[in-house]
Amino acid sequence: MIDGPRVGALESGPRNSIADVAGVLVGHITLANGPTQTGVTVIRPHSGDAYRHPVAAAAVVINGFGKTTGLLQLNELGVLESPIALTNTFAVGTIYTAMLKHAVRTNPAIGRTAPTFNPVVAECNDGWLNDLHAFAIDEDHYVRAFEAAGADFDQGAIGAGRGMSCFGLKGGIGSASRLAGHAPHRFVVGALVLANFGRLPHLTLMGVPVGGRIAPADAAHPVRDDGSIIVVTATDAPLDHRQLRRLATRASAGIARTGSNFGHGSGDIVVAFAAGERRRAEAKIGGTASGGLPDAALDPLFDAVAEATEQAIVNALFAAETVAGYAGHVRHAIREHMPDWRAVLNEASPRTR
Amino acid sequence: MIDGPRVGALESGPRNSIADVAGVLVGHITLANGPTQTGVTVIRPHSGDAYRHPVAAAAVVINGFGKTTGLLQLNELGVLESPIALTNTFAVGTIYTAMLKHAVRTNPAIGRTAPTFNPVVAECNDGWLNDLHAFAIDEDHYVRAFEAAGADFDQGAIGAGRGMSCFGLKGGIGSASRLAGHAPHRFVVGALVLANFGRLPHLTLMGVPVGGRIAPADAAHPVRDDGSIIVVTATDAPLDHRQLRRLATRASAGIARTGSNFGHGSGDIVVAFAAGERRRAEAKIGGTASGGLPDAALDPLFDAVAEATEQAIVNALFAAETVAGYAGHVRHAIREHMPDWRAVLNEASPRTR
Amino acid sequence: MIDGPRVGALESGPRNSIADVAGVLVGHITLANGPTQTGVTVIRPHSGDAYRHPVAAAAVVINGFGKTTGLLQLNELGVLESPIALTNTFAVGTIYTAMLKHAVRTNPAIGRTAPTFNPVVAECNDGWLNDLHAFAIDEDHYVRAFEAAGADFDQGAIGAGRGMSCFGLKGGIGSASRLAGHAPHRFVVGALVLANFGRLPHLTLMGVPVGGRIAPADAAHPVRDDGSIIVVTATDAPLDHRQLRRLATRASAGIARTGSNFGHGSGDIVVAFAAGERRRAEAKIGGTASGGLPDAALDPLFDAVAEATEQAIVNALFAAETVAGYAGHVRHAIREHMPDWRAVLNEASPRTR
Amino acid sequence: MIDGPRVGALESGPRNSIADVAGVLVGHITLANGPTQTGVTVIRPHSGDAYRHPVAAAAVVINGFGKTTGLLQLNELGVLESPIALTNTFAVGTIYTAMLKHAVRTNPAIGRTAPTFNPVVAECNDGWLNDLHAFAIDEDHYVRAFEAAGADFDQGAIGAGRGMSCFGLKGGIGSASRLAGHAPHRFVVGALVLANFGRLPHLTLMGVPVGGRIAPADAAHPVRDDGSIIVVTATDAPLDHRQLRRLATRASAGIARTGSNFGHGSGDIVVAFAAGERRRAEAKIGGTASGGLPDAALDPLFDAVAEATEQAIVNALFAAETVAGYAGHVRHAIREHMPDWRAVLNEASPRTR
């Protein structure tokens, strides 16, 4: 249970995480050893083999200063056929290869008689806390994160989030869920973020600009906005590629409400998929998950993805612990800066006269 | 001087409007006569002939439930060669023709020996207050709005904004400006919005969710989210098409902070141009305004466009007066609902325990 | 029966036109009076009301130097809810309004309690043969073209094609169809083009560069490449928006094979829809036509759309008659230049030593 | 000197290769050892360090069934800051890492105080001739291909092209150049392709459909169209990102003329850059190469890129030798099938009666 602000008005699922979309699994491997503070996080769209049972998917690039792989094919075919792996910028190639080898072991026809495999690897730059030049991530780390995947998972300075910074504070992995609509259109929307973006003066919690209230402990360090945020969002609603593209677009509203204006150097990328066991049954290679929800019923899902994304970012901040790493660099947890965050929010709320 | 909240942290230009980008001119024609509550607003990129002196431009479609014309060519060639006209949905064709005839009168070679002319007409649906079926807008209204264009212009329930609704309240035209960066990269970013979007419960001012505090006077009327918001943003920074596309993308952050999640039925469209007398001198037919600012210097402009857009929406709300129109429908000014908006904001600010 | 080359290898439908997609209807109105040589062509996706029964659709912009309306919403929602009207550049606004009024008469709730209507109007510039400044097209012409729509329709210098030029010759309306795949995936793909593009030296028929063999009768007239080509393609295959986007992309191969490199000044735009009575039954407002064909089965459809598009362009040329119009300008029919086109093709085929 | 058809009408540069854009360098490493038939090809935009001196660039995805990395950032920032590496599908991750490590060795600030590095790796699937499961490519191969880069380079079954198939024949690397326009707008456009696409019956040379004349020697082998074509095109014209995007779009015309309809399983991707020593001088980190050519002057460049792309594909076919590889699979050189290609073309030309 993360002790931090709760944003928005919608109800959460029981875990308040992306795993509330039944079947979605998340696993981490964390490397925390002196100057090496990094890791890998794997999101599986369901407990089966995504290559054999792809799910409908879409990706939206809000700002393309990033190195995510796999989005061309994902948007052309409208399906996700791999897990989504998150890691640091320098490990993209290694994890790409690791995912490919893992898929080939399970499906030896890949590269022989079956179509090739499209790994989705997304990244942020954790070079402030992590010695990127050490190239510490190897292929086996992917396998271990994959195998660790479950419906219950930790948040904060863990997995791919280990070395990430957010608003000049400690960032990392956060997740949340929101329930949308009413029966028979009652669905879950979950979000998981790798949060490594933002400048401290912009930090906004529950609409309250609190960034100015935090003394930058690491004032000597330039707070560069060349991070990124990766949003992975899942739903059990029967959306097709086009509708998922529309859903992914709305994650940007949640990012904006935390204080980001999508900085020049920030790779802000959203991947949405219609996942979980509920969708897996209908997925088949070469097909596309069928639509089934009229577009006029999407607004509750749009609200849910914006809230879940904002909450996931807040959760990443409030779940994170302080981390010291490469070259003595430190990123402090927001909890250290505002142990009584309720008081800070009350104090910082608009005083209009 | 609009009596309403001031959002953000950046300094405004002297007019706090898009006309702070020197040379940008705005004109209105307003039809307010019983069931006819509509109009036309024209934004000119500079005081000259835009066909002869096009300016660098880009458009971004956040949600494409809208009928704006001219964006295909604007994005292919990277230039705006016409004024931008805003009006109601049913008047798009008429204003398109009016703009074309106006351009042909000035440049008789169009359609003969010179390339054709690409009118940019954007629209929102004012059918709640305005009897769209009356088709009240005619071609001459465009000419009158064009000729009325100046650096000083009114906001609120005027011009194309006359019949628009925003968060279930009276919306319309709003504008604002923000100053960005430091010499030699000190620039103005201005925004003008036609605000016709949003559901009342989502309304957020200065980060404070106030929508729930307003009793919907017109509770019997469904508050449909099939409006739209058109954002026109201008800067005197020497941006090229690609950079203006990046700038336009950031307007979405300002929209989101007022409470929108870019509803299914809302045509949310941003047009950005590098305008004003400063850019006009260098514009020439067939060319593109040259870039000149490195992308790494864009962040202050990104912050400015997000703030200016949010402020323009707030200004549209607080400048608007109550309007009654078609079928006895009424949209009330936010000022009537919260004459003491400062108190409401203070009261509604987060109470976290 | 058009006497001209037959391109490609696939079988045609019985009409060799877009109307082989059962239910698609085409109507023309032609204005041929001295300096006025223009018109309107209407394509209806089925015999019903497209607003009430929209069909899955997608549009692809190969080159955006054009003024087509309606594509933003068509691609956002993935449906076509109007006929497609083709006309001259200066008539876009008028036909937009005519389509809207026509839809409102049939569906009075539009602009009251039902969502607005998205007219798709595409255009080419017929200003060489037609006196654009006369603004000869009025709203009633749309209604007459709509009412004239049937499964049998003329091609060549007719309807919107009346004043169009293609490769410096007389262009206009052409159509063709091809059959694709095998049962149970046997489908029709039809194309209809408004052909107003290309430079004479590039003209290629059945792969043979014949443009150099035609003496430009109007050599004194600059052959400007500021035309356009609009391709409307329909299929009875159960494609969704994403798949139709893929289909539309392949029309470009057909255009290229006639000798076009998609000139700077040419608005090259493709609209694809899954149409006909077969699709109408399943269409409903607010929904999307369901996919149902795996992407791996699309290749025969891709081949068919490329061939049908190339053939439709060839048909436009060979169906056209010579037209004289504005300012004494004349565009000669290709049949006049090469009455024995078979001999020309044989003579012009590659002589490689 | 490749003995094969010459397409189009424009003059070539002295090398008839992409290296006619002065400064562009190409290097190969080839692995040809039993079941391993693969390699790496590196294209350098100029002889300097692309990270320090990026060039204006744009990428266009015709069909996104491919795994190319780096395009998101390339299109966001409008620059190419790395060489372009071509290789097999399974080696993408390895080459990504190799390029990154190579850049970091030269620029140790990357991942410390300077922005990260965006490697562009494009691929095709050579799994018919090459044992992909051997993962034979290692990081050092990139370095060797990079170091081998020069203005003179081989074509055909070499480098990344070693194991590629094209129209059921031996494909691989091809290149060509065309001169465009007149002084002062006289420029070179060069193309280099990795050709691994197409079905034999579609093969078209100089507009003549010759595929049906070739007896498929490997008839027992399914000719799957799950290849890809990567087009790299360079020019010394001073184009900006938007103009290069327009240029890249026209490469599709050249591909189409060889008989492709952009098959479902083919990743058809074009990267265009304004390169060479002429552009290097003006390039700087964080800026964008300035435009300078009016769009109305682009048509000769569009013609040139279409011709150069078509010629490069033809050259890939006619330069290739027969290759036998994995599992006894063989792809025969087109020269074996039609040693007297001139006679075949004459014979196969249209006989229209």
Side-chain angles (χ1 to χ4, degrees):
Chain A
M1 187 61 188
I2 300 166
D3 175 30
R6 193 191 188 285
V7 304
L10 299 174
E11 193 181 345
S12 299
R15 288 185 175 88
N16 195 18
S17 87
I18 195 172
D20 286 325
V21 180
V24 174
L25 308 174
V26 177
H28 300 296
I29 180 90
T30 306
L31 282 67
N33 186 10
T36 292
Q37 300 289 336
T38 192
V40 180
T41 295
V42 171
I43 300 101
R44 299 178 57 188
H46 53 63
S47 64
D49 181 340
Y51 177 77
R52 294 185 194 173
H53 301 283
V55 294
V60 167
V61 178
I62 307 171
N63 192 49
F65 204 134
K67 282 87 181 169
T68 300
T69 73
L71 301 193
L72 301 183
Q73 186 165 324
L74 187 148
N75 279 334
E76 181 74 38
L77 302 186
V79 292
L80 174 70
E81 65 177 26
S82 76
I84 297 173
L86 311 176
T87 190
N88 78 57
T89 308
F90 276 34
V92 168
T94 300
I95 297 302
Y96 180 103
T97 302
M99 293 179 80
L100 175 58
K101 289 182 179 171
H102 188 261
V104 167
R105 278 194 297 275
T106 313
N107 300 281
I110 293 175
R112 300 274 199 238
T113 55
T116 51
F117 172 75
N118 182 46
V120 175
V121 188
E123 52 72 42
C124 297
N125 177 357
D126 60 11
W128 183 252
L129 288 178
N130 177 49
D131 180 10
L132 283 169
H133 289 209
F135 285 89
I137 300 286
D138 62 35
E139 293 178 17
D140 187 53
H141 291 131
Y142 170 73
V143 179
R144 290 164 65 188
F146 179 92
E147 290 177 348
D152 295 303
F153 59 92
D154 288 332
Q155 299 179 43
I158 194 164
R162 180 63 193 173
M164 302 297 168
S165 302
C166 192
F167 293 103
L169 306 167
K170 188 67 197 76
I173 297 286
S175 192
S177 73
R178 291 293 186 269
L179 304 180
H182 304 282
H185 292 334
R186 179 71 163 178
F187 300 111
V188 186
V189 178
L192 182 146
V193 301
L194 179 62
N196 189 49
F197 69 102
R199 281 164 281 158
L200 181 54
H202 287 176
L203 177 62
T204 302
L205 295 172
M206 300 180 73
V208 181
V210 298
R213 308 226 156 211
I214 296 178
D218 38 12
H221 303 161
V223 182
R224 302 164 305 164
D225 188 11
D226 59 357
S228 287
I229 177 166
I230 307 298
V231 180
V232 177
T233 183
T235 182
D236 57 1
L239 305 188
D240 67 13
H241 163 74
R242 182 184 54 76
Q243 294 175 318
L244 288 163
R245 182 188 73 202
R246 302 188 76 195
L247 187 75
T249 298
R250 275 65 188 184
S252 67
I255 301 172
R257 290 191 187 115
T258 66
S260 170
N261 294 322
F262 316 120
H264 153 69
S266 184
D268 296 348
I269 289 167
V270 186
V271 181
F273 54 91
E277 303 307 335
R278 194 165 163 180
R279 296 279 79 78
R280 175 191 172 192
E282 67 198 34
K284 59 187 182 303
I285 288 184
T288 55
S290 61
L293 202 62
D295 277 50
L298 292 178
D299 271 334
L301 295 164
F302 291 173
D303 295 343
V305 76
E307 270 200 22
T309 300
E310 182 182 0
Q311 185 69 66
I313 295 167
V314 171
N315 286 354
L317 287 166
F318 280 84
E321 62 185 343
T322 296
V323 170
Y326 170 70
H329 295 167
V330 180
R331 286 292 189 213
H332 291 274
I334 195 169
R335 292 176 300 183
E336 292 185 13
H337 284 288
M338 46 168 89
D340 188 354
W341 58 266
R342 289 176 182 81
V344 175
L345 283 183
N346 286 336
E347 176 63 23
S349 288
R351 288 296 172 269
T352 50
R353 53 176 147 195
Chain B
M1 189 59 190
I2 299 166
D3 175 30
R6 192 192 189 285
V7 304
L10 300 174
E11 192 181 346
S12 298
R15 287 185 176 88
N16 195 20
S17 88
I18 196 172
D20 286 326
V21 180
V24 175
L25 308 175
V26 177
H28 300 297
I29 179 91
T30 306
L31 281 67
N33 186 10
T36 291
Q37 301 288 337
T38 193
V40 180
T41 296
V42 171
I43 301 101
R44 299 177 56 188
H46 53 63
S47 63
D49 180 341
Y51 178 77
R52 294 186 194 173
H53 301 282
V55 294
V60 167
V61 177
I62 306 171
N63 191 48
F65 203 135
K67 282 86 179 170
T68 300
T69 72
L71 302 193
L72 301 183
Q73 186 165 323
L74 187 149
N75 279 334
E76 181 74 39
L77 303 184
V79 292
L80 174 69
E81 65 178 26
S82 75
I84 298 172
L86 311 176
T87 191
N88 77 56
T89 308
F90 275 34
V92 168
T94 301
I95 297 301
Y96 180 101
T97 302
M99 292 179 80
L100 174 58
K101 289 183 179 171
H102 188 262
V104 167
R105 278 195 297 274
T106 313
N107 300 282
I110 294 174
R112 300 273 200 239
T113 56
T116 51
F117 172 75
N118 183 45
V120 176
V121 188
E123 52 73 40
C124 295
N125 177 357
D126 59 12
W128 183 252
L129 289 177
N130 177 48
D131 180 9
L132 282 169
H133 289 210
F135 285 90
I137 300 286
D138 62 35
E139 295 178 16
D140 187 54
H141 291 131
Y142 170 72
V143 178
R144 290 163 66 186
F146 179 91
E147 290 177 348
D152 295 304
F153 59 92
D154 288 332
Q155 300 179 42
I158 192 165
R162 180 63 194 174
M164 302 298 169
S165 302
C166 192
F167 293 102
L169 306 167
K170 189 65 198 79
I173 297 286
S175 191
S177 72
R178 291 295 186 269
L179 305 181
H182 304 281
H185 292 335
R186 179 71 162 177
F187 299 111
V188 187
V189 177
L192 182 145
V193 301
L194 179 62
N196 189 48
F197 69 102
R199 281 165 282 158
L200 180 55
H202 287 177
L203 176 62
T204 303
L205 296 173
M206 301 179 72
V208 181
V210 300
R213 309 229 155 209
I214 297 179
D218 39 10
H221 302 161
V223 182
R224 302 166 305 164
D225 188 11
D226 59 357
S228 287
I229 177 167
I230 307 298
V231 180
V232 176
T233 183
T235 182
D236 56 1
L239 306 188
D240 67 12
H241 164 74
R242 183 186 52 77
Q243 294 175 317
L244 288 163
R245 183 188 71 203
R246 303 188 76 195
L247 186 75
T249 298
R250 276 65 189 183
S252 67
I255 301 171
R257 289 189 188 117
T258 66
S260 169
N261 293 322
F262 316 120
H264 154 68
S266 183
D268 297 347
I269 290 168
V270 187
V271 181
F273 54 90
E277 303 306 336
R278 195 163 161 179
R279 296 278 80 78
R280 175 190 172 191
E282 69 199 32
K284 61 189 181 303
I285 289 185
T288 55
S290 60
L293 201 64
D295 278 50
L298 292 178
D299 271 334
L301 294 164
F302 290 172
D303 295 343
V305 76
E307 270 199 22
T309 300
E310 183 182 0
Q311 185 69 66
I313 295 167
V314 171
N315 286 354
L317 287 167
F318 279 85
E321 61 186 342
T322 296
V323 170
Y326 170 70
H329 294 166
V330 181
R331 286 294 188 212
H332 291 274
I334 196 169
R335 291 176 300 183
E336 292 185 12
H337 284 287
M338 46 166 91
D340 188 354
W341 57 266
R342 290 175 181 80
V344 175
L345 284 183
N346 286 337
E347 177 63 22
S349 287
R351 287 296 171 269
T352 50
R353 51 178 147 195
Chain C
M1 187 63 190
I2 299 166
D3 175 30
R6 191 190 190 286
V7 304
L10 300 174
E11 192 181 347
S12 299
R15 288 185 175 88
N16 195 19
S17 87
I18 195 171
D20 286 326
V21 180
V24 174
L25 307 175
V26 177
H28 301 295
I29 179 93
T30 306
L31 282 67
N33 187 9
T36 291
Q37 300 289 338
T38 193
V40 180
T41 296
V42 170
I43 300 101
R44 299 177 56 187
H46 53 62
S47 64
D49 180 340
Y51 178 78
R52 294 186 193 171
H53 301 283
V55 294
V60 166
V61 178
I62 306 171
N63 191 48
F65 202 134
K67 283 85 180 170
T68 300
T69 72
L71 301 193
L72 301 183
Q73 186 165 323
L74 186 149
N75 279 334
E76 181 75 37
L77 303 185
V79 291
L80 174 69
E81 65 177 24
S82 76
I84 298 173
L86 311 176
T87 191
N88 78 57
T89 309
F90 276 34
V92 168
T94 300
I95 297 301
Y96 180 102
T97 302
M99 293 179 80
L100 174 58
K101 288 182 179 171
H102 188 261
V104 168
R105 278 194 297 275
T106 313
N107 299 281
I110 294 175
R112 300 273 198 241
T113 56
T116 51
F117 172 75
N118 182 45
V120 175
V121 188
E123 51 73 41
C124 296
N125 177 357
D126 59 12
W128 182 253
L129 288 178
N130 177 49
D131 180 10
L132 282 169
H133 289 210
F135 285 88
I137 301 286
D138 61 35
E139 294 178 17
D140 187 52
H141 291 132
Y142 169 73
V143 179
R144 289 164 65 187
F146 179 92
E147 291 178 348
D152 295 303
F153 59 92
D154 289 331
Q155 300 179 41
I158 193 165
R162 180 65 194 172
M164 300 299 168
S165 303
C166 190
F167 293 103
L169 305 168
K170 188 65 197 78
I173 296 287
S175 191
S177 72
R178 291 295 186 268
L179 304 182
H182 304 281
H185 291 336
R186 179 74 161 175
F187 300 111
V188 188
V189 178
L192 182 146
V193 300
L194 179 62
N196 188 49
F197 69 102
R199 282 165 280 159
L200 181 54
H202 287 178
L203 176 62
T204 303
L205 295 174
M206 300 179 73
V208 181
V210 299
R213 309 227 154 210
I214 297 179
D218 39 9
H221 303 161
V223 182
R224 302 165 305 165
D225 189 9
D226 58 357
S228 287
I229 177 167
I230 307 299
V231 180
V232 176
T233 184
T235 182
D236 56 1
L239 306 188
D240 67 10
H241 163 74
R242 182 185 54 75
Q243 294 174 317
L244 288 163
R245 183 189 72 205
R246 303 188 77 196
L247 187 75
T249 298
R250 276 65 188 183
S252 67
I255 302 172
R257 289 189 188 118
T258 65
S260 169
N261 293 321
F262 316 120
H264 153 69
S266 184
D268 297 347
I269 290 168
V270 187
V271 180
F273 53 91
E277 303 306 335
R278 194 163 161 181
R279 295 278 81 78
R280 175 189 172 193
E282 69 199 30
K284 59 187 183 304
I285 289 184
T288 55
S290 60
L293 201 63
D295 278 49
L298 292 178
D299 272 333
L301 295 164
F302 290 174
D303 295 342
V305 75
E307 270 199 23
T309 300
E310 182 182 359
Q311 185 69 66
I313 295 168
V314 171
N315 285 354
L317 287 167
F318 279 83
E321 60 185 343
T322 296
V323 171
Y326 169 70
H329 295 166
V330 181
R331 286 293 189 214
H332 291 275
I334 196 170
R335 292 177 299 181
E336 293 185 12
H337 284 288
M338 46 168 93
D340 188 354
W341 58 265
R342 291 175 181 81
V344 175
L345 283 183
N346 286 337
E347 175 64 23
S349 287
R351 289 294 172 268
T352 51
R353 49 177 144 195
Chain D
M1 187 63 189
I2 300 166
D3 175 30
R6 193 193 188 284
V7 304
L10 299 174
E11 192 181 346
S12 298
R15 287 186 176 87
N16 195 18
S17 88
I18 196 171
D20 286 326
V21 180
V24 174
L25 307 174
V26 177
H28 300 297
I29 179 93
T30 306
L31 281 69
N33 187 10
T36 292
Q37 301 288 338
T38 193
V40 180
T41 295
V42 171
I43 300 102
R44 300 178 55 189
H46 53 63
S47 64
D49 181 340
Y51 178 78
R52 294 186 193 172
H53 301 283
V55 294
V60 166
V61 178
I62 306 171
N63 192 48
F65 202 134
K67 284 85 181 170
T68 301
T69 72
L71 301 193
L72 301 183
Q73 185 165 323
L74 186 148
N75 278 335
E76 181 75 37
L77 302 185
V79 293
L80 174 69
E81 66 177 23
S82 77
I84 297 173
L86 311 176
T87 191
N88 76 57
T89 309
F90 275 34
V92 167
T94 300
I95 297 300
Y96 181 102
T97 302
M99 292 179 80
L100 174 58
K101 289 182 178 170
H102 188 261
V104 167
R105 279 194 296 274
T106 313
N107 299 282
I110 294 174
R112 300 274 200 240
T113 56
T116 52
F117 172 76
N118 182 45
V120 175
V121 188
E123 52 71 43
C124 296
N125 177 357
D126 59 12
W128 183 254
L129 289 177
N130 177 48
D131 180 10
L132 282 169
H133 289 209
F135 285 89
I137 300 286
D138 63 34
E139 294 178 16
D140 188 52
H141 291 132
Y142 169 73
V143 178
R144 289 163 66 187
F146 179 91
E147 290 177 349
D152 295 305
F153 59 93
D154 288 332
Q155 301 179 41
I158 193 166
R162 181 64 194 172
M164 301 298 169
S165 303
C166 192
F167 293 102
L169 306 168
K170 187 67 197 80
I173 296 286
S175 192
S177 72
R178 291 294 185 268
L179 304 182
H182 304 281
H185 291 336
R186 178 73 163 176
F187 299 111
V188 187
V189 177
L192 182 145
V193 301
L194 179 62
N196 189 50
F197 69 102
R199 281 165 281 160
L200 180 55
H202 287 178
L203 176 63
T204 303
L205 295 173
M206 300 180 73
V208 181
V210 300
R213 308 226 157 213
I214 297 178
D218 38 9
H221 303 159
V223 182
R224 301 165 306 163
D225 189 10
D226 60 356
S228 286
I229 176 166
I230 308 297
V231 180
V232 176
T233 183
T235 182
D236 57 0
L239 306 188
D240 66 12
H241 163 74
R242 182 184 54 75
Q243 294 175 318
L244 288 163
R245 183 188 72 203
R246 302 188 77 196
L247 187 74
T249 298
R250 274 67 187 183
S252 67
I255 301 171
R257 290 190 188 118
T258 66
S260 169
N261 293 322
F262 317 120
H264 154 68
S266 183
D268 297 346
I269 289 168
V270 187
V271 181
F273 53 90
E277 303 306 336
R278 193 162 162 182
R279 296 279 80 78
R280 175 189 172 192
E282 68 200 31
K284 59 188 183 302
I285 288 184
T288 55
S290 60
L293 201 63
D295 278 49
L298 292 178
D299 272 333
L301 295 163
F302 290 172
D303 295 342
V305 76
E307 270 199 23
T309 300
E310 183 182 359
Q311 184 69 67
I313 295 167
V314 171
N315 286 353
L317 287 167
F318 279 84
E321 61 185 343
T322 296
V323 171
Y326 169 71
H329 295 166
V330 181
R331 285 292 188 214
H332 291 274
I334 196 170
R335 292 176 300 181
E336 293 186 11
H337 284 287
M338 46 167 93
D340 188 354
W341 57 266
R342 290 175 182 82
V344 175
L345 282 184
N346 286 337
E347 177 62 23
S349 288
R351 288 297 170 268
T352 51
R353 51 178 145 193

